[in-house]
Amino acid sequence: MTSRALAVLGAFDGEHRALSLTDLARRAELPLATAHRLVGELHRWGALAREPNGDYVIGRRIWQLGLLAPVQSGLRQAASPFLHDLYGTTLATVHLAVRDGVEVLYVERLAGHVSVPVVSRVGSRLPMHATGVGKVLLAYAPEEIRTEALTKLTRITAYTITQPARLLEQLKRVRAEGYATTGEEMSLGACSVAVPVRNGDAVVAALGMVVPDLRRQLPRLVSALQVAAHGIGRTLAGSSSVQWK
């Protein structure tokens, strides 16, 4: 029963934030009657909420539990003032992300004033090879993670890097230069730059920005990101350790 309830909750993702009962049953691979019973129990407990049109969404109780996770309560709390300072200085969209398996999990996002197509949301997952924060996290990930990621280089735009050798060369430069960039690799009209956030010697997150163009402002943005990332790391070092595996 527990596995079936988890399958219902697992049916939701960044692309499926609201689902009908039929869609929930299909995505959870459950009989409709079973899904109906489980959804009713989850709804009564507060794990699911029902929209006026009848669709189901993740409920407030799950959100409250999620805030207790170390990546939320520790990392976000430590990073918050630095993200707001960075946003105030650049007015760009600012991201804080961690690695979740072979994907990027966005744990914080401040939307910029400049109109740039940004597909990420807090809680969403995106491929590492097509995002600035993802390239940073992939550059410092264990070897087995990089090996797995290289088998999943899906093309998202015409500029997405799908050649393993080319991506590995970029990751090598990330480790040497301390930052990663993308140019319309996740969405057309959007470029990104990101740097690692360290807690001691461990890279625990990536901090990035999305802008229309990097050509004229790359050194300034990298410097601003590195100052903020250093501040986050210093705050983490003075509190409990935050790691993401």
Side-chain angles (χ1 to χ4, degrees), residues 136 140 172-180 194-196 198 222 226:
V136 166
Y140 294 96
K172 182 179 178 180
R173 285 207 305 273
V174 171
R175 293 189 294 270
E177 298 174 353
Y179 67 91
V195 302
R198 289 181 168 86
V222 170
Q226 288 176 336

Side-chain angles (χ1 to χ4, degrees), residues 8 11 19-36 39:
V8 170
L19 294 168
S20 67
L21 177 61
T22 301
D23 288 336
L24 271 171
R26 176 179 54 81
R27 287 178 56 82
E29 299 181 349
L30 295 172
L32 186 60
T34 302
H36 182 269
V39 166

Side-chain angles (χ1 to χ4, degrees), residues 99-157:
R99 180 176 63 81
D100 188 8
V102 292
E103 293 180 308
V104 174
L105 172 62
Y106 288 83
V107 297
E108 189 59 278
R109 173 179 179 262
L110 300 180
H113 284 203
V114 180
S115 180
V116 180
V118 179
V119 298
S120 64
R121 299 179 181 179
V122 174
S124 66
R125 291 172 171 80
L126 292 177
M128 288 197 285
H129 69 285
T131 59
V133 287
K135 288 182 182 180
V136 166
L137 295 168
L138 191 55
Y140 294 96
E143 184 63 35
E144 62 270 20
I145 295 296
R146 280 196 295 275
T147 299
E148 183 179 354
L150 290 175
T151 68
K152 302 178 178 181
L153 302 184
T154 54
R155 184 176 298 280
I156 301 166
T157 76

